[in-house]
Amino acid sequence: MSAADVSTAPSRAPLVSRTVRVDDPGDMLAHLPRHPVGSSLAWLRHDEGLVGWGEALRVDVGGASRFTDAAAAWSDTLAHAVTRDEVRLPGSGPVAFVSFSFADRSPAGGVLVVPETVLGRRGDTWWLTRTSVDGALPDTVPPGPAEDVEPPGQVRFADGAHPGPEWAHRVAQAVQRIRAGAVDKVVLARDLEARTAQPMDPRWLLRRLAGSYPSCWTFAVDGLVGATPELLVRRDRGLVTSRVLAGTIRRSGHDDRDLALAASLARSSKDLEEHEYAVRSVAGALGPHCSGTNVPEAPFVLHLPNVMHLATDVTGTLASDAPGVLELAAALHPTAAVCGTPTGAAADLIDELEGMDRDRYAGPVGWVDANGDGELGIALRCARIDASDPRSLRLFAGCGVVSGSDPEAELAESDAKLVPMRDAVSGG
């Protein structure tokens, strides 16, 4: 674990984790207390999932080995841990939240955090997990509702690394390189800066995103907050799932018009080409770890409040020796949906044309439990709050570029993808 900071690894007393069933606590986000920016943890969809707070253990990782270092640190932690789990569902017992940078060389690196407290829900079952760091059996007193969330006040937005027209020019350069045969597809991202009058409380963003985008996975890990529609990988008791999104069209706000737009998206050769690259990359990465996989012949159209995507759910039955969800994420990342095809050439073109550090944007984010099960999404539709200055945020969006891409249309698509976070930050 040469690249991991394991100064907090269990060399002292082991972690002691205790999980009990609890009555329906209502809105789980309402129990999330105010903490420093990086200590609010969440993974929610349709009012199910996990919220956590406090740090029983934190491991920082970096470089190309960040996934394997995090997996090794988690394995070592569990080897020394004491666990009492009365629920025994994926996500109960000791859980770690994780977030990783998109690029190997990014200083953002990655993090694995074991919360002191977790509230979880799966179906009609709710549970509470407490983890202590002193070797003592923790209490299981249910938390009460937390204090109110203060709004961030007036918000100013500004261009990030590149103004819109300059970014569109870079898309045009990418199209030229694709037509010259350098790559088949490349994904280019852009950022937007936000400045709030008051320090941003992550709970403000979480509540707004979960309310507006219930079918997305709303997340918070280490100051990275968002609502992603794309599931990189779910490992659930021998089954594996990945939801692939590639190909996007902006909604009009009128039902009849949106149905026509959805039909045009499903027939678009440009978008179908982009989607095929992404599905192929995911199926190819999962295949060696599965005894069987299912890849639908055609995508469906996923309707979100602001955009529609071509989507495919790739599923499989894991082989008996299949690794945990962190190792599966390492095998999948980066997919063609956030990098391009071929992967190496697309990554090189991103370095050349994008002109910014993606930070944790488009990297895996989610959770892992003691059995290696868990869910990791791709960190899209997200913002990173500056821990040293919580009034400062970076918002991110990206678009897949293929030979038929139009730079101005890609710029408009990126604007549409920024809407969820712009609205969540500003209260729009």
Side-chain angles (χ1 to χ4, degrees):
M1 291 186 285
S2 58
D5 176 3
V6 293
S7 59
T8 54
S11 58
R12 302 165 278 106
L15 295 185
V16 178
S17 176
R18 186 180 184 187
T19 302
V20 297
R21 293 175 183 265
V22 294
D23 294 332
D24 179 356
D27 179 9
M28 289 196 294
L29 287 174
H31 297 270
L32 195 61
R34 186 179 184 91
H35 268 275
V37 165
S39 297
S40 293
L41 302 158
W43 180 266
L44 294 170
R45 181 173 184 259
H46 292 310
D47 299 321
E48 292 190 26
L50 306 168
V51 298
W53 57 93
E55 289 188 359
L57 172 73
R58 177 188 177 99
V59 178
D60 294 293
V61 294
S65 63
R66 61 196 182 283
F67 295 100
T68 54
D69 287 343
W74 183 228
S75 178
D76 183 63
T77 297
L78 294 172
H80 296 85
V82 177
T83 300
R84 290 190 181 181
D85 182 2
E86 299 175 7
V87 177
R88 299 189 179 279
L89 287 173
S92 68
V95 166
F97 286 77
V98 295
S99 171
F100 299 97
S101 63
F102 171 80
D104 293 349
R105 294 190 296 272
S106 172
V111 67
L112 179 146
V113 177
V114 179
E116 292 179 337
T117 302
V118 173
L119 271 177
R121 178 190 175 191
R122 188 178 176 107
D124 293 329
T125 301
W126 288 263
W127 64 86
L128 172 70
T129 299
R130 301 271 200 194
T131 300
S132 71
V133 296
D134 58 5
L137 190 66
D139 71 72
T140 53
V141 178
E147 65 271 28
D148 291 339
V149 178
E150 296 295 329
Q154 186 175 2
V155 184
R156 299 194 310 271
F157 293 99
D159 290 325
H162 307 290
E166 168 61 22
W167 187 80
H169 174 68
R170 290 169 185 259
V171 172
Q173 291 179 295
V175 172
Q176 291 176 353
R177 299 289 288 274
I178 292 168
R179 292 175 179 173
V183 295
D184 297 318
K185 171 190 173 180
V186 65
V187 179
L188 293 183
R190 55 183 287 227
D191 65 336
L192 189 69
E193 296 179 356
R195 184 76 184 175
T196 59
Q198 303 299 325
M200 175 59 73
D201 187 333
R203 299 174 303 163
W204 169 265
L205 298 177
L206 287 169
R207 292 184 183 187
R208 296 190 60 79
L209 291 168
S212 298
Y213 299 89
S215 63
C216 293
W217 288 268
T218 300
F219 61 87
V221 180
D222 198 34
L224 183 72
V225 186
T228 181
E230 190 154 1
L231 182 70
L232 178 65
V233 60
R234 174 193 296 123
R235 187 184 191 275
D236 189 339
R237 293 182 286 197
L239 301 177
V240 65
T241 304
S242 180
R243 170 163 289 184
V244 182
L245 303 183
T248 304
I249 195 166
R250 191 167 190 165
R251 298 191 69 154
S252 69
H254 301 282
D255 290 344
D256 291 343
R257 175 63 176 153
D258 284 346
L259 287 174
L261 289 172
S264 69
L265 178 64
R267 296 190 302 267
S268 167
S269 58
K270 177 262 181 186
D271 291 293
L272 287 169
E273 177 189 10
E274 180 186 347
H275 191 79
E276 182 182 354
Y277 289 133
V279 171
R280 193 184 305 160
S281 73
V282 167
L286 286 180
H289 304 290
C290 294
S291 60
T293 58
N294 178 50
V295 183
E297 292 184 0
F300 65 94
V301 177
L302 177 66
H303 294 251
L304 297 175
N306 59 321
V307 295
M308 294 176 284
H309 297 288
L310 291 179
T312 295
D313 287 338
V314 178
T315 59
T317 301
L318 290 170
S320 58
D321 59 349
V325 72
L326 294 181
E327 292 90 344
L328 290 172
L332 286 163
H333 179 77
T335 69
V338 292
C339 181
T341 304
T343 303
D348 289 342
L349 192 54
I350 288 171
D351 287 342
E352 178 183 341
L353 294 181
E354 207 167 75
M356 70 172 194
D357 175 23
R358 289 190 181 186
D359 197 271
R360 305 263 180 87
Y361 168 74
V365 60
W367 60 272
V368 58
D369 69 11
N371 296 314
D373 287 338
E375 293 182 312
L376 275 74
I378 299 177
L380 308 176
R381 316 295 196 273
C382 62
R384 186 84 187 272
I385 306 171
D386 188 336
S388 62
D389 180 9
R391 292 179 174 84
S392 177
L393 298 86
R394 286 181 75 201
L395 286 61
F396 301 90
C399 296
V401 182
V402 294
S403 60
S405 293
D406 173 73
E408 293 303 321
E410 300 296 348
L411 179 61
E413 180 181 318
S414 71
D415 285 337
K417 290 177 175 177
L418 285 166
V419 166
M421 287 310 304
R422 287 190 65 135
D423 286 353
V425 171
S426 63

